[in-house]
């Protein structure tokens, strides 16, 4: 039971780290207590996108007449939607099983904890225990839904994201507390299939990490779609004694009582760092996260941590990039630390939002003199043809050197468009290089080129 590398947790951080380790010739094992693929494949990125696709199909059907198609009937079947989402997740998890086999990575199903001397104790899922030894141990145990003291999840009336994905019946009404990506995606999904949805956000705008103009546009779009939104509002208590829960919300104008069949708490995540033996082996943590250096090494020789349990954006692609960086560094390859300001963030509601780099405010706060360009999809030929004219692309450049500081998009499929800007920023591309890169017509991507042109007073289609 001796390995070069043992990875604890098989989410997008853990399983990707394991594959890269195997590619680099390390004898590798992964220990997983639940399902291969972690939260991302089983309870996060993938099953939510499957639910959202069903919502989108239903929306298309409702608007089929706009495209000259007559459709009769077409009602959402909630249980079938959930069933499809679960089967997509299951398929993805099986895919990871295949990848482990293909890369000759041993999979141990059980709960791991660290012991001194590179040892790992595993309580196997069959009830027995076993000890493993590794030269390098990568901890990638992910996170769970964060609980607020006045919003304790009971799994029935006050739920977290897991239950929200597998409810037995569609709720007639839902209060979503928190308007980050997870909250907004569930709000959009349930609203679009007919649930009455209210979002309660503590900050003064929804999706508060995004550029202010994006928040404003999204709020407008979601309200138009029928979602009620309360900002600068705080849930103080929930009375779950009746069939319908009463949610007390403190707003600028006083206490408001919202009624809802289900309350979804989407107020962030709590890293899984308990019961792992971190204290026993002396690994330092801070504010609930494991402390690591630029290459994910903890203060204890041979122990590393990646993904949602370390600082940085809690996103699947971040966890994977950290896993690869960590393993390549162990191998002694030349690797650069990750630039967290070049990590794209996407929210898959409708309209979608995506962003990378500085917001306008962050760029100004950082002392940049900036040039801002914007291009609305209402002026895009492809958007018109597709019937997706809502939204815009906003780009931000450094006025002095033309550096591409950031991009913020809202509209159909913008989660696919953002990759262009990620590459542009990685290659330190300037605004004029974007303008001079011929974009295919008609595509939504032309909006990036046009927005860059707008920043320099050269926009054509406005
Ligand atoms: C509803 C939702 C939607 C999301 N959508 C997106 C999205 O669209 N895009 C995106 O980039 N991110 C998304 N995320 C975030 C993304 O899922 C996480 O950032 C990502 O899964 C983190 O990867 P990880 O490898 O750190 O941990 P995880 O994926 O959480 O995996 C950790 C694994 O470790 C296992 N484990 C924990 N403790 C032990 C132990 N002691 N022994 C053995 N195994 C253990 C767990 O069972 C789990 O399988 C979403 C999250 C949620 C909740």
């Amino acid at each position: 039971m001796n390995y070069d590398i043992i990875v604890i947790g098989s989410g997008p951080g853990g399983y990707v780290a394991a594959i890269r380790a195997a590619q680099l010739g390390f004898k590798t094992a992964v220990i997983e207590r639940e399902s291969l693929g972690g939260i991302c494949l089983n309870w996060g990125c993938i099953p939510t996108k499957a639910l959202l696709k069903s919502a989108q199909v239903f929306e298309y059907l409702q608007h089929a007449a706009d495209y000259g198609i007559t459709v009769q009937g077409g009602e959402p079947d909630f249980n079938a939607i959930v069933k499809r989402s679960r089967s997509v997740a299951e398929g993805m998890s099986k895919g990871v099983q295949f990848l482990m086999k293909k890369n000759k990575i041993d999979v141990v199903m059980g709960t791991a904890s660290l012991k001194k001397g590179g040892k790992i104790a595993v309580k196997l899922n069959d009830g027995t225990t076993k000890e493993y030894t590794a030269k390098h141990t990568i901890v990638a145990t992910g996170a769970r839904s964060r609980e607020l003291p006045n919003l304790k999840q009971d799994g029935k009336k006050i739920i977290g994201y897991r239950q929200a994905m597998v409810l037995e019946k569609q709720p007639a009404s839902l209060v979503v507390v928190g308007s980050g990506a997870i909250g907004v995606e569930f709000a959009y999904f349930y609203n679009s299939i007919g649930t009455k949805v209210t979002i309660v956000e503590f900050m003064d705008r929804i999706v508060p990490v995004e550029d202010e103009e994006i928040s404003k546009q999204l709020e407008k779009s979601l309200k138009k779609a029928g979602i009620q939104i309360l900002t600068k509002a705080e849930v103080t208590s929930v009375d779950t004694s009746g069939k319908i829960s009463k949610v007390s919300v403190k707003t600028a104008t006083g206490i408001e009582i919202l009624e809802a069949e289900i309350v979804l708490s989407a107020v962030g995540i709590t890293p899984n760092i308990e019961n792992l033996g971190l204290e026993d082996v002396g690994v330092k943590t801070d504010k609930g996260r494991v402390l690591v250096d630029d290459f994910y090494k903890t203060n204890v020789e041979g122990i590393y941590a990646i993904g949602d349990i370390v600082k940085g954006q809690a996103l699947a692609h971040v966890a994977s990039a950290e896993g690869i960086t960590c393993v390549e560094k162990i191998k002694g390859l030349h690797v650069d630390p990750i630039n967290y300001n070049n990590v794209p963030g996407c929210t898959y509601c409708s309209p979608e939002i995506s962003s990378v780099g500085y917001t306008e405010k962050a760029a100004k706060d950082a002392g940049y003199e900036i040039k801002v360009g914007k291009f609305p999809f209402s002026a895009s030929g492809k958007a018109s043809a597709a019937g997706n004219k809502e939204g815009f692309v906003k780009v931000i450049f450094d006025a002095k050197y033309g550096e591409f500081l950031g991009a913020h998009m809202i509209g159909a499929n913008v989660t696919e468009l953002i990759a262009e800007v990620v590459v542009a920023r990685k290659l330190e591309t300037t605004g004029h290089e974007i303008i001079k890169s011929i974009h295919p017509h008609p595509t939504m991507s032309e909006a990036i080129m046009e927005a860059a042109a707008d920043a320099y007073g050269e926009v054509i289609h406005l």
Side-chain angles (χ1 to χ4, degrees):
M1 298 304 162
N2 289 326
Y3 290 90
D4 296 320
I5 294 186
I6 287 184
V7 186
I8 305 177
S10 72
Y15 86 78
V16 169
I19 291 174
R20 189 69 188 116
Q23 284 174 347
L24 292 171
F26 291 114
K27 187 179 174 210
T28 308
V30 165
I31 305 169
E32 170 56 56
R33 67 180 177 192
E34 203 183 332
S35 307
L36 288 177
I39 291 300
C40 172
L41 270 56
N42 297 286
W43 297 103
C45 325
I46 302 300
T48 50
K49 268 76 250 178
L51 296 175
L52 290 161
K53 188 69 199 178
S54 293
Q56 194 188 37
V57 169
F58 182 50
E59 282 205 332
Y60 260 115
L61 285 180
Q62 285 174 308
H63 293 109
D66 299 347
Y67 298 86
I69 312 287
T70 309
V71 174
Q72 270 152 12
E75 288 303 315
D77 175 343
F78 185 71
N79 293 324
I81 291 172
V82 170
K83 201 168 152 204
R84 173 177 180 275
S85 163
R86 294 324 301 160
S87 103
V88 170
E90 246 170 62
M92 295 301 295
S93 183
K94 279 197 187 126
V96 174
Q97 206 175 322
F98 161 80
L99 289 173
M100 296 295 102
K101 220 182 209 170
K102 181 186 160 213
N103 287 283
K104 302 192 173 47
I105 297 163
D106 287 344
V107 174
V108 179
M109 294 307 293
T111 304
S113 58
L114 301 165
K115 301 282 163 204
K116 287 210 167 101
K119 292 191 171 45
I120 299 164
V122 184
K123 190 165 183 282
L124 297 169
N125 286 357
D126 66 8
T128 60
T129 51
K130 232 181 206 170
E131 195 168 83
Y132 295 79
T133 311
K135 279 188 211 125
H136 308 278
T137 303
I138 302 174
V139 185
T141 47
R144 58 189 184 274
S145 178
R146 178 174 162 230
E147 295 217 37
L148 293 180
N150 50 356
L151 202 59
K152 281 256 170 264
Q153 294 174 26
D154 59 15
K156 292 201 160 62
K157 291 184 172 173
I158 305 178
I159 62 171
Y161 57 79
R162 280 200 187 212
Q163 292 90 4
M165 257 173 254
V166 289
L167 288 175
E168 278 169 16
K169 133 181 181 305
Q170 182 182 344
S173 51
L174 175 76
V175 166
V176 178
V177 187
S179 72
I182 295 175
V184 160
E185 286 182 9
F186 276 113
Y188 162 72
F189 166 70
Y190 275 106
N191 178 67
S192 61
I193 59 167
T195 296
K196 180 176 174 290
V197 176
T198 305
I199 295 177
V200 179
E201 169 56 54
F202 181 73
M203 305 294 279
D204 60 354
R205 59 194 174 96
I206 59 166
V207 286
V209 298
E210 300 294 343
D211 191 271
E212 283 180 32
E213 287 190 74
I214 297 288
S215 293
K216 238 183 244 168
Q217 174 67 48
L218 185 66
E219 179 165 340
K220 217 164 106 188
S221 302
L222 294 185
K223 278 183 171 166
K224 196 171 138 207
I227 297 177
Q228 187 191 357
I229 297 177
L230 301 179
T231 50
K232 283 199 227 157
E234 184 186 359
V235 172
T236 52
S237 64
V238 184
D239 175 1
T240 55
S241 57
K243 194 165 176 278
I244 298 292
S245 297
K246 291 190 167 33
V247 185
S248 301
V249 182
K250 198 167 115 195
T251 67
T253 51
I255 296 285
E256 202 169 311
I257 308 289
L258 303 174
E259 296 199 331
E261 205 175 313
I262 301 267
V263 179
L264 168 61
S265 172
V267 292
I269 54 162
T270 301
N272 297 322
I273 61 164
E274 306 85 356
N275 310 317
L276 265 175
L278 291 174
E279 312 78 18
D280 303 342
V281 294
V283 169
K284 285 189 186 152
T285 59
D286 181 42
K287 297 187 190 91
R289 301 205 177 221
V290 179
L291 286 176
V292 287
D293 68 10
D294 282 352
F295 299 102
Y296 309 101
K297 201 168 159 187
T298 68
N299 60 305
V300 176
E301 199 53 39
I303 301 181
Y304 310 78
I306 58 168
D308 282 3
I309 58 167
V310 301
K311 67 174 174 19
Q313 299 97 322
L315 293 169
H317 39 290
V318 172
S320 299
E322 290 172 346
I324 290 171
T325 303
C326 175
V327 168
E328 290 183 347
K329 188 69 179 175
I330 293 172
K331 182 70 180 176
L333 303 185
H334 174 78
V335 266
D336 292 324
I338 290 173
N339 173 2
Y340 286 89
N341 203 15
N342 203 16
V343 171
C346 297
T347 304
Y348 301 79
C349 49
S350 179
E352 293 184 344
I353 58 180
S354 64
S355 60
V356 65
Y358 291 88
T359 60
E360 185 170 345
K361 181 172 183 308
K364 283 180 183 159
D365 289 351
Y368 286 103
E369 205 184 303
I370 56 172
K371 273 188 188 297
V372 176
K374 247 173 93 174
F375 191 79
F377 286 118
S378 56
S380 150
K382 179 66 183 288
S384 281
N388 291 321
K389 293 201 289 185
E390 198 175 17
F392 58 84
V393 172
K394 171 175 175 176
V395 292
I396 300 162
F397 295 100
D398 166 38
K400 206 166 169 192
Y401 300 111
E403 185 190 345
F404 204 153
L405 294 175
H408 308 275
M409 310 182 187
I410 180 162
N413 296 324
V414 296
T415 55
E416 300 291 344
L417 295 191
I418 197 71
E420 169 179 342
V421 185
V422 175
V423 176
R425 271 179 55 81
K426 176 76 183 156
L427 300 179
E428 299 180 2
T429 304
T430 64
H432 270 103
E433 285 169 326
I434 293 283
I435 300 168
K436 296 296 177 202
S437 302
I438 301 169
H439 284 58
H441 177 75
T443 60
M444 301 288 274
S445 73
E446 288 170 292
I448 298 173
M449 179 179 69
E450 289 274 35
D454 182 50
Y456 289 91
E458 299 172 24
V459 66
I460 301 293
H461 291 98
L462 273 186

